[in-house]
Coordinates of all heavy atoms in Angstrom, one line a residue:
G10 N -14.6 4.1 -2.1 CA -15.5 3.4 -2.9 C -16.1 2.1 -2.2 O -16.8 1.4 -2.8
T11 N -16.0 2.1 -1.0 CA -16.5 0.8 -0.2 C -17.5 1.4 0.8 O -17.7 2.6 1.0 CB -15.3 0.1 0.6 OG1 -14.9 1.0 1.5 CG2 -14.3 -0.4 -0.4
G12 N -18.2 0.5 1.4 CA -19.2 0.8 2.5 C -18.4 1.4 3.6 O -19.1 2.1 4.5
A13 N -17.2 1.0 3.9 CA -16.5 1.5 5.1 C -16.2 2.9 4.9 O -16.2 3.7 5.8 CB -15.2 0.6 5.2
D14 N -16.1 3.4 3.7 CA -15.8 4.7 3.4 C -17.0 5.6 3.9 O -16.8 6.6 4.6 CB -15.6 5.0 1.9 CG -15.3 6.4 1.5 OD1 -14.6 7.1 2.3 OD2 -15.8 6.9 0.5
T15 N -18.3 5.2 3.5 CA -19.4 5.9 3.9 C -19.5 5.8 5.4 O -19.9 6.9 6.1 CB -20.6 5.3 3.2 OG1 -20.4 5.4 1.9 CG2 -21.9 6.1 3.6
T16 N -19.3 4.7 6.1 CA -19.4 4.6 7.5 C -18.4 5.4 8.2 O -18.8 6.1 9.2 CB -19.1 3.1 7.9 OG1 -20.0 2.2 7.1 CG2 -19.3 2.9 9.4
L17 N -17.3 5.5 7.7 CA -16.2 6.4 8.4 C -16.6 7.9 8.3 O -16.4 8.6 9.2 CB -14.9 6.2 7.8 CG -14.2 4.8 8.1 CD1 -12.9 4.7 7.3 CD2 -14.0 4.7 9.6
H18 N -17.2 8.2 7.1 CA -17.7 9.7 7.0 C -18.8 9.9 8.0 O -18.9 11.1 8.5 CB -18.2 9.9 5.5 CG -17.0 10.3 4.6 ND1 -16.1 9.3 4.1 CD2 -16.6 11.5 4.2 CE1 -15.2 10.0 3.4 NE2 -15.5 11.2 3.3
V19 N -19.7 9.0 8.1 CA -20.9 9.2 9.0 C -20.4 9.3 10.5 O -20.8 10.2 11.2 CB -21.9 8.1 8.9 CG1 -22.9 8.1 10.0 CG2 -22.6 8.2 7.5
V20 N -19.4 8.4 10.9 CA -18.8 8.5 12.2 C -18.1 9.8 12.4 O -18.2 10.4 13.5 CB -17.9 7.2 12.4 CG1 -17.1 7.4 13.7 CG2 -18.6 6.0 12.3
A21 N -17.3 10.2 11.4 CA -16.6 11.5 11.5 C -17.6 12.7 11.7 O -17.4 13.6 12.5 CB -15.7 11.7 10.3
A22 N -18.7 12.7 11.0 CA -19.8 13.7 11.1 C -20.4 13.7 12.4 O -20.6 14.8 13.0 CB -20.8 13.5 10.0
V23 N -20.7 12.5 13.0 CA -21.3 12.4 14.3 C -20.4 12.9 15.4 O -20.7 13.6 16.3 CB -21.8 11.0 14.6 CG1 -22.1 10.8 16.1 CG2 -22.9 10.6 13.6
V24 N -19.1 12.5 15.3 CA -18.1 13.0 16.2 C -17.9 14.5 16.1 O -17.8 15.2 17.2 CB -16.7 12.3 16.0 CG1 -15.6 13.0 16.8 CG2 -16.8 10.9 16.4
L25 N -17.9 15.1 14.9 CA -17.9 16.5 14.8 C -19.1 17.2 15.4 O -18.8 18.2 16.2 CB -17.7 16.9 13.3 CG -17.7 18.4 13.0 CD1 -16.4 19.0 13.5 CD2 -17.9 18.6 11.5
V26 N -20.2 16.8 15.1 CA -21.4 17.4 15.6 C -21.5 17.3 17.1 O -21.8 18.2 17.9 CB -22.6 16.9 15.0 CG1 -24.0 17.3 15.8 CG2 -22.8 17.3 13.5
G27 N -21.1 16.1 17.7 CA -21.0 15.9 19.1 C -20.1 16.7 19.8 O -20.2 17.2 20.9
S28 N -18.9 17.0 19.2 CA -17.8 17.8 19.8 C -18.3 19.2 19.8 O -18.1 19.9 20.9 CB -16.5 17.7 19.0 OG -16.0 16.4 19.0
I29 N -18.9 19.7 18.8 CA -19.5 21.1 18.8 C -20.5 21.3 19.8 O -20.5 22.2 20.6 CB -19.9 21.5 17.4 CG1 -18.7 21.6 16.4 CG2 -20.7 22.8 17.4 CD1 -19.1 21.8 14.9
A30 N -21.4 20.3 19.8 CA -22.5 20.4 20.9 C -22.0 20.3 22.3 O -22.4 21.0 23.2 CB -23.5 19.2 20.7
A31 N -21.0 19.5 22.6 CA -20.4 19.4 23.9 C -19.7 20.8 24.2 O -19.8 21.3 25.3 CB -19.4 18.3 24.0
A32 N -19.0 21.3 23.2 CA -18.3 22.6 23.5 C -19.4 23.7 23.8 O -19.2 24.6 24.7 CB -17.5 23.0 22.3
L33 N -20.4 23.8 23.0 CA -21.4 24.8 23.2 C -22.1 24.6 24.6 O -22.4 25.5 25.3 CB -22.5 24.7 22.2 CG -22.1 25.3 20.8 CD1 -23.1 25.1 19.8 CD2 -21.7 26.7 20.9
Y34 N -22.3 23.3 25.0 CA -23.0 23.0 26.3 C -22.0 23.4 27.4 O -22.5 24.0 28.5 CB -23.3 21.5 26.4 CG -23.9 21.1 27.8 CD1 -25.2 21.5 28.1 CD2 -23.2 20.5 28.7 CE1 -25.7 21.2 29.3 CE2 -23.6 20.1 29.9 CZ -25.0 20.4 30.2 OH -25.5 20.1 31.4
G35 N -20.8 23.1 27.3 CA -19.8 23.5 28.3 C -19.6 25.1 28.4 O -19.5 25.6 29.5
F36 N -19.7 25.8 27.2 CA -19.7 27.2 27.4 C -20.8 27.7 28.0 O -20.8 28.7 28.8 CB -19.6 27.8 25.9 CG -19.6 29.3 25.9 CD1 -18.6 30.1 26.2 CD2 -20.8 29.9 25.3 CE1 -18.7 31.4 26.1 CE2 -20.9 31.3 25.2 CZ -19.8 32.0 25.7
W37 N -22.1 27.2 27.7 CA -23.3 27.6 28.3 C -23.2 27.4 29.9 O -23.6 28.3 30.6 CB -24.5 26.9 27.7 CG -25.8 27.3 28.3 CD1 -26.5 26.6 29.4 CD2 -26.5 28.4 28.1 NE1 -27.6 27.3 29.7 CE2 -27.7 28.4 28.8 CE3 -26.4 29.5 27.2 CZ2 -28.6 29.4 28.8 CZ3 -27.3 30.5 27.1 CH2 -28.4 30.5 27.9
K38 N -22.8 26.3 30.3 CA -22.7 26.0 31.7 C -21.7 27.0 32.4 O -22.0 27.4 33.5 CB -22.3 24.5 32.0 CG -23.4 23.5 31.6 CD -24.7 23.7 32.2 CE -24.7 23.2 33.6 NZ -26.1 23.3 34.3
L39 N -20.6 27.2 31.7 CA -19.7 28.2 32.3 C -20.3 29.7 32.3 O -20.2 30.3 33.3 CB -18.4 28.2 31.5 CG -17.3 29.2 31.9 CD1 -16.7 28.8 33.3 CD2 -16.3 29.3 30.9
H40 N -21.0 29.9 31.4 CA -21.6 31.3 31.2 C -22.7 31.4 32.3 O -22.9 32.5 32.8 CB -22.2 31.5 29.9 CG -22.6 33.0 29.7 ND1 -21.7 33.9 29.5 CD2 -23.8 33.5 29.7 CE1 -22.3 35.1 29.3 NE2 -23.7 34.9 29.4
E41 N -23.4 30.3 32.7 CA -24.5 30.5 33.6 C -24.0 30.2 35.1 O -24.8 30.1 36.0 CB -25.6 29.3 33.3 CG -26.3 29.6 32.1 CD -27.2 30.8 32.1 OE1 -27.9 30.9 33.2 OE2 -27.2 31.6 31.2
L42 N -22.7 30.1 35.3 CA -22.2 29.9 36.6 C -22.5 30.9 37.6 O -22.9 30.6 38.7 CB -20.6 29.7 36.5 CG -19.9 29.5 37.8 CD1 -20.2 28.0 38.3 CD2 -18.4 29.6 37.5
P43 N -22.5 32.2 37.3 CA -22.8 33.2 38.3 C -24.3 33.1 38.7 O -24.6 33.3 39.8 CB -22.6 34.5 37.6 CG -21.6 34.3 36.4 CD -21.9 32.9 36.0
I44 N -25.2 32.8 37.8 CA -26.6 32.7 38.1 C -26.8 31.5 39.1 O -27.6 31.7 40.1 CB -27.5 32.5 36.8 CG1 -27.4 33.8 36.0 CG2 -28.9 32.3 37.2 CD1 -28.0 33.7 34.6
S45 N -26.2 30.4 38.8 CA -26.4 29.2 39.6 C -25.8 29.4 41.0 O -26.4 29.0 42.0 CB -25.9 28.0 38.9 OG -24.5 28.1 38.8
K46 N -24.7 30.1 41.0 CA -24.1 30.3 42.3 C -24.9 31.3 43.1 O -25.1 31.1 44.3 CB -22.6 31.0 42.1 CG -21.9 31.2 43.3 CD -21.5 29.9 44.0 CE -20.6 30.2 45.2 NZ -20.1 29.1 45.9
A47 N -25.5 32.3 42.5 CA -26.4 33.3 43.2 C -27.7 32.6 43.7 O -28.1 32.8 44.9 CB -26.8 34.4 42.3
H48 N -28.2 31.7 42.9 CA -29.4 30.9 43.4 C -29.1 29.9 44.6 O -29.8 29.9 45.5 CB -29.9 30.1 42.2 CG -30.8 30.9 41.3 ND1 -32.0 31.5 41.7 CD2 -30.6 31.2 40.0 CE1 -32.5 32.2 40.6 NE2 -31.7 32.0 39.6
N49 N -27.9 29.3 44.5 CA -27.5 28.4 45.6 C -27.3 29.2 46.9 O -27.5 28.7 48.0 CB -26.2 27.6 45.2 CG -26.5 26.6 44.1 OD1 -27.6 26.3 43.9 ND2 -25.5 26.2 43.4
R50 N -26.7 30.4 46.8 CA -26.4 31.1 48.0 C -27.5 32.0 48.4 O -27.5 32.8 49.4 CB -25.2 32.0 47.8 CG -23.9 31.3 47.6 CD -22.7 32.2 47.4 NE -22.5 33.0 48.5 CZ -21.8 34.1 48.5 NH1 -21.3 34.6 47.3 NH2 -21.5 34.9 49.5
K51 N -28.6 32.0 47.7 CA -29.8 32.8 47.9 C -29.4 34.3 48.1 O -29.7 35.0 49.0 CB -30.6 32.4 49.1 CG -31.1 31.0 49.0 CD -31.9 30.6 50.3 CE -32.6 29.3 50.1 NZ -31.9 28.2 49.6
H52 N -28.6 34.7 47.0 CA -28.0 36.0 47.0 C -29.2 37.1 46.9 O -30.2 36.9 46.2 CB -27.1 36.1 45.8 CG -26.1 37.2 45.8 ND1 -26.4 38.5 45.6 CD2 -24.7 37.1 46.1 CE1 -25.2 39.2 45.7 NE2 -24.3 38.4 46.0
H53 N -29.0 38.3 47.4 CA -30.0 39.2 47.4 C -30.0 39.9 46.1 O -31.1 40.5 45.7 CB -29.7 40.4 48.4 CG -29.7 39.8 49.9 ND1 -30.9 39.2 50.4 CD2 -28.8 39.8 50.8 CE1 -30.6 38.9 51.6 NE2 -29.3 39.2 51.9
Q54 N -29.0 39.9 45.3 CA -28.9 40.5 44.0 C -29.0 39.5 42.8 O -28.3 39.7 41.8 CB -27.6 41.3 43.9 CG -27.5 42.4 44.9 CD -28.5 43.5 44.7 OE1 -28.8 43.8 43.5 NE2 -28.9 44.2 45.7
T55 N -29.8 38.5 43.0 CA -29.9 37.5 41.9 C -30.4 38.1 40.6 O -29.9 37.7 39.6 CB -30.9 36.3 42.4 OG1 -30.4 35.8 43.6 CG2 -30.9 35.2 41.4
G56 N -31.3 39.0 40.6 CA -31.9 39.6 39.5 C -30.7 40.4 38.7 O -30.6 40.3 37.5
L57 N -30.0 41.1 39.4 CA -28.9 41.9 38.9 C -27.8 41.0 38.2 O -27.3 41.2 37.1 CB -28.2 42.9 39.9 CG -27.0 43.6 39.5 CD1 -27.3 44.6 38.4 CD2 -26.3 44.2 40.7
I58 N -27.5 40.0 39.0 CA -26.5 38.9 38.5 C -27.0 38.4 37.1 O -26.3 38.2 36.2 CB -26.2 37.9 39.5 CG1 -25.4 38.7 40.7 CG2 -25.3 36.8 39.0 CD1 -25.2 37.8 41.9
T59 N -28.3 38.0 37.1 CA -28.9 37.4 35.9 C -28.8 38.3 34.7 O -28.4 38.0 33.7 CB -30.4 37.0 36.2 OG1 -30.4 36.1 37.3 CG2 -30.9 36.3 34.9
I60 N -29.1 39.6 34.9 CA -29.1 40.6 33.8 C -27.7 40.8 33.5 O -27.4 40.8 32.2 CB -29.8 41.9 34.4 CG1 -31.2 41.7 34.7 CG2 -29.5 43.0 33.3 CD1 -32.0 41.4 33.4
L61 N -26.7 40.9 34.4 CA -25.3 41.1 33.9 C -24.8 39.8 33.2 O -24.0 40.0 32.2 CB -24.5 41.3 35.2 CG -24.6 42.7 35.9 CD1 -23.8 42.8 37.1 CD2 -24.3 43.8 35.0
T62 N -25.3 38.7 33.6 CA -24.8 37.4 32.8 C -25.3 37.5 31.4 O -24.6 37.2 30.4 CB -25.3 36.2 33.6 OG1 -24.8 36.3 34.9 CG2 -24.9 34.9 32.9
W63 N -26.6 37.9 31.3 CA -27.2 38.0 29.9 C -26.5 39.1 29.0 O -26.2 38.8 27.8 CB -28.6 38.2 29.9 CG -29.4 36.9 30.1 CD1 -29.9 36.5 31.4 CD2 -29.6 35.8 29.3 NE1 -30.4 35.2 31.3 CE2 -30.3 34.9 30.0 CE3 -29.3 35.6 27.9 CZ2 -30.7 33.6 29.4 CZ3 -29.7 34.4 27.3 CH2 -30.4 33.5 28.1

Side-chain angles (χ1 to χ4, degrees):
T11 64
D14 180 40
T15 305
T16 304
L17 291 173
H18 276 78
V19 169
V20 169
V23 168
V24 168
L25 177 66
V26 169
S28 298
I29 292 172
L33 289 175
Y34 179 74
F36 176 74
W37 179 261
K38 292 304 277 183
L39 178 68
H40 190 76
E41 292 291 316
L42 181 68
I44 295 173
S45 63
K46 184 68 173 178
H48 282 294
N49 289 344
R50 292 179 64 201
K51 294 179 176 50
H52 202 284
H53 298 303
Q54 299 292 333
T55 304
L57 174 65
I58 293 169
T59 303
I60 295 297
L61 290 175
T62 301
W63 282 100

